Amino acid sequence: MPSDIVRVVYRKYDGSAHRDYPARRLAEDDLGVWLGVTTGTESVYHGRPSVEKIPFVVLVPHDAWWTGMFNPPPRTSEVYCDITTPARWRGDTVHLVDLDLDVVRRRATGTVELRDEDEFADHRARFGYPDDLVASAEAAAKLLFQALGDGTEPFATAYRKWLALVV
Protein backbone atom coordinates (compact mmCIF):
# COMPACT_ATOMS: atom_id res chain seq x y z
CA MET A 1 0.00 0.00 0.00
CA PRO A 2 1.42 3.41 -0.91
CA SER A 3 2.37 5.93 1.74
CA ASP A 4 0.15 8.90 2.57
CA ILE A 5 3.08 11.22 1.83
CA VAL A 6 4.51 11.64 -1.66
CA ARG A 7 7.65 13.55 -2.55
CA VAL A 8 7.15 15.62 -5.71
CA VAL A 9 10.37 16.37 -7.57
CA TYR A 10 10.46 18.62 -10.64
CA ARG A 11 13.74 19.12 -12.46
CA LYS A 12 14.63 21.00 -15.61
CA TYR A 13 15.76 19.09 -18.70
CA ASP A 14 19.44 19.66 -17.83
CA GLY A 15 18.87 18.01 -14.43
CA SER A 16 18.90 21.21 -12.38
CA ALA A 17 16.51 21.51 -9.43
CA HIS A 18 13.18 23.21 -10.05
CA ARG A 19 10.67 22.26 -7.32
CA ASP A 20 10.71 19.67 -4.55
CA TYR A 21 8.04 19.28 -1.88
CA PRO A 22 6.10 16.75 0.16
CA ALA A 23 2.39 16.31 -0.54
CA ARG A 24 -0.38 14.24 0.97
CA ARG A 25 -1.85 11.56 -1.27
CA LEU A 26 -5.56 12.41 -1.39
CA ALA A 27 -6.85 9.90 -3.93
CA GLU A 28 -6.21 8.08 -7.17
CA ASP A 29 -8.82 7.86 -9.89
CA ASP A 30 -9.07 7.51 -13.66
CA LEU A 31 -7.60 11.03 -14.03
CA GLY A 32 -4.46 10.35 -12.01
CA VAL A 33 -3.09 10.85 -8.50
CA TRP A 34 -4.44 13.80 -6.50
CA LEU A 35 -1.98 15.35 -4.04
CA GLY A 36 -2.61 18.04 -1.43
CA VAL A 37 -0.16 20.64 -0.16
CA THR A 38 -1.11 22.66 2.92
CA THR A 39 -0.04 26.11 4.05
CA GLY A 40 3.28 25.94 5.86
CA THR A 41 4.66 23.04 3.83
CA GLU A 42 8.42 23.37 3.51
CA SER A 43 9.57 23.12 -0.07
CA VAL A 44 12.45 23.91 -2.39
CA TYR A 45 11.88 26.27 -5.31
CA HIS A 46 14.66 26.85 -7.87
CA GLY A 47 17.08 25.24 -5.42
CA ARG A 48 16.18 27.51 -2.51
CA PRO A 49 14.21 26.69 0.64
CA SER A 50 10.66 28.01 0.64
CA VAL A 51 7.46 27.70 2.64
CA GLU A 52 4.09 27.41 0.93
CA LYS A 53 1.90 30.38 1.85
CA ILE A 54 -1.24 29.20 0.03
CA PRO A 55 -2.43 25.59 -0.12
CA PHE A 56 -3.00 23.81 -3.43
CA VAL A 57 -3.86 20.49 -5.02
CA VAL A 58 -1.79 18.80 -7.72
CA LEU A 59 -3.08 16.27 -10.23
CA VAL A 60 -0.39 13.96 -11.58
CA PRO A 61 -2.03 12.26 -14.59
CA HIS A 62 -1.33 8.59 -15.22
CA ASP A 63 0.26 9.14 -18.63
CA ALA A 64 0.30 12.72 -19.86
CA TRP A 65 2.74 15.51 -20.64
CA TRP A 66 1.48 17.83 -17.89
CA THR A 67 0.59 18.26 -14.24
CA GLY A 68 -2.21 20.46 -12.94
CA MET A 69 -2.12 22.71 -9.88
CA PHE A 70 -5.48 23.90 -8.54
CA ASN A 71 -5.45 26.97 -6.33
CA PRO A 72 -7.81 28.75 -3.94
CA PRO A 73 -8.06 32.52 -3.62
CA PRO A 74 -6.12 34.75 -3.20
CA ARG A 75 -3.99 33.15 -5.92
CA THR A 76 -4.80 34.84 -9.20
CA SER A 77 -4.36 31.59 -11.13
CA GLU A 78 -7.26 29.21 -10.51
CA VAL A 79 -5.56 26.45 -12.53
CA TYR A 80 -1.86 26.33 -13.39
CA CYS A 81 -0.63 23.50 -15.60
CA ASP A 82 3.04 22.75 -16.09
CA ILE A 83 4.01 21.03 -19.30
CA THR A 84 6.23 18.15 -18.15
CA THR A 85 7.47 14.79 -19.22
CA PRO A 86 5.13 11.98 -18.11
CA ALA A 87 5.47 11.18 -14.41
CA ARG A 88 7.95 8.53 -13.31
CA TRP A 89 7.13 6.98 -9.95
CA ARG A 90 9.82 5.45 -7.77
CA GLY A 91 8.16 4.26 -4.60
CA ASP A 92 6.53 7.27 -3.00
CA THR A 93 8.44 9.82 -5.08
CA VAL A 94 7.18 11.19 -8.37
CA HIS A 95 9.77 12.60 -10.77
CA LEU A 96 8.87 15.12 -13.48
CA VAL A 97 10.88 17.18 -15.94
CA ASP A 98 9.47 20.69 -16.27
CA LEU A 99 9.49 21.73 -19.92
CA ASP A 100 8.96 25.44 -19.32
CA LEU A 101 5.58 25.92 -21.02
CA ASP A 102 2.65 26.63 -18.72
CA VAL A 103 -1.07 26.91 -19.39
CA VAL A 104 -2.91 29.07 -16.85
CA ARG A 105 -6.53 30.01 -16.26
CA ARG A 106 -6.98 33.32 -14.43
CA ARG A 107 -9.51 33.35 -11.60
CA ALA A 108 -11.03 36.80 -12.12
CA THR A 109 -11.59 36.63 -15.87
CA GLY A 110 -11.42 32.96 -16.85
CA THR A 111 -8.79 33.95 -19.41
CA VAL A 112 -6.53 31.09 -20.49
CA GLU A 113 -2.88 31.93 -21.19
CA LEU A 114 0.04 30.05 -22.69
CA ARG A 115 3.12 31.20 -20.81
CA ASP A 116 6.90 30.97 -21.08
CA GLU A 117 7.15 30.25 -24.81
CA ASP A 118 10.38 32.26 -24.84
CA GLU A 119 11.90 30.12 -22.07
CA PHE A 120 10.82 26.98 -23.95
CA ALA A 121 12.52 28.21 -27.15
CA ASP A 122 15.67 29.20 -25.24
CA HIS A 123 15.91 25.86 -23.41
CA ARG A 124 15.08 23.95 -26.60
CA ALA A 125 18.20 25.43 -28.18
CA ARG A 126 20.40 25.39 -25.07
CA PHE A 127 19.52 21.88 -23.83
CA GLY A 128 18.87 20.31 -27.22
CA TYR A 129 15.28 19.21 -26.74
CA PRO A 130 14.65 16.33 -29.18
CA ASP A 131 12.00 16.96 -31.84
CA ASP A 132 9.65 14.30 -30.43
CA LEU A 133 9.81 15.94 -26.98
CA VAL A 134 9.04 19.35 -28.54
CA ALA A 135 6.08 17.88 -30.44
CA SER A 136 4.69 16.20 -27.30
CA ALA A 137 5.11 19.36 -25.19
CA GLU A 138 3.44 21.57 -27.80
CA ALA A 139 0.58 19.08 -28.26
CA ALA A 140 0.00 18.99 -24.49
CA ALA A 141 -0.05 22.79 -24.32
CA LYS A 142 -2.58 22.95 -27.16
CA LEU A 143 -4.80 20.32 -25.54
CA LEU A 144 -4.69 22.10 -22.17
CA PHE A 145 -5.36 25.51 -23.70
CA GLN A 146 -8.59 24.12 -25.14
CA ALA A 147 -9.55 22.11 -22.05
CA LEU A 148 -9.07 24.98 -19.59
CA GLY A 149 -11.26 27.16 -21.77
CA ASP A 150 -14.13 24.82 -22.53
CA GLY A 151 -14.92 23.26 -19.16
CA THR A 152 -13.37 19.87 -19.78
CA GLU A 153 -12.80 17.93 -16.57
CA PRO A 154 -10.84 17.91 -14.38
CA PHE A 155 -10.56 21.65 -15.01
CA ALA A 156 -14.22 22.56 -14.45
CA THR A 157 -15.30 21.27 -11.05
CA ALA A 158 -13.69 17.84 -10.38
CA TYR A 159 -10.76 19.36 -8.49
CA ARG A 160 -12.90 21.29 -6.01
CA LYS A 161 -13.61 18.36 -3.69
CA TRP A 162 -9.87 17.73 -3.35
CA LEU A 163 -9.02 21.39 -2.89
CA ALA A 164 -11.57 21.59 -0.06
CA LEU A 165 -9.48 19.03 1.86
CA VAL A 166 -6.41 21.28 2.04
CA VAL A 167 -7.91 24.77 2.36
Side-chain angles (χ1 to χ4, degrees), residues 2-20:
S3 166
D4 286 346
I5 302 299
V6 170
R7 181 176 171 206
V8 181
V9 179
Y10 287 86
R11 295 204 171 275
K12 289 295 189 174
Y13 192 78
D14 69 347
S16 62
H18 183 54
R19 295 195 75 192
D20 188 333

Side-chain angles (χ1 to χ4, degrees), residues 59-82:
L59 173 60
V60 179
H62 293 298
D63 188 27
W65 284 75
W66 58 272
T67 58
M69 185 168 77
F70 302 88
N71 303 304
R75 274 218 171 102
T76 59
S77 60
E78 179 182 15
V79 181
Y80 194 106
C81 294
D82 287 297

Side-chain angles (χ1 to χ4, degrees), residues 34 70 78 105 154-165:
W34 293 91
F70 302 88
E78 179 182 15
R105 184 172 67 216
F155 307 109
T157 61
Y159 68 90
R160 291 182 183 156
K161 66 183 174 184
W162 306 120
L163 189 56
L165 296 176

Side-chain angles (χ1 to χ4, degrees), residues 3 5 18 30 49 60 74-75 84 88 112 114 118 124 150 158:
S3 166
I5 302 299
H18 183 54
D30 59 324
V60 179
R75 274 218 171 102
T84 68
R88 287 182 305 108
V112 178
L114 177 60
D118 53 343
R124 178 183 184 180
D150 70 11

Side-chain angles (χ1 to χ4, degrees), residues 46-140:
H46 292 290
R48 290 183 247 190
S50 182
V51 176
E52 298 300 331
K53 293 179 176 56
I54 300 171
F56 58 92
V57 168
V58 174
L59 173 60
V60 179
H62 293 298
D63 188 27
W65 284 75
W66 58 272
T67 58
M69 185 168 77
F70 302 88
N71 303 304
R75 274 218 171 102
T76 59
S77 60
E78 179 182 15
V79 181
Y80 194 106
C81 294
D82 287 297
I83 304 302
T84 68
T85 57
R88 287 182 305 108
W89 288 88
R90 289 198 179 136
D92 291 318
T93 301
V94 61
H95 297 270
L96 302 140
V97 176
D98 181 276
L99 297 173
D100 318 308
L101 294 173
D102 303 303
V103 182
V104 179
R105 184 172 67 216
R106 295 289 166 204
R107 180 177 315 285
T109 62
T111 301
V112 178
E113 305 168 354
L114 177 60
R115 300 186 59 207
D116 298 331
E117 292 173 282
D118 53 343
E119 183 181 1
F120 181 73
D122 176 55
H123 286 174
R124 178 183 184 180
R126 187 175 349 153
F127 302 145
Y129 290 173
D131 290 342
D132 60 335
L133 180 138
V134 170
S136 294
E138 290 175 340

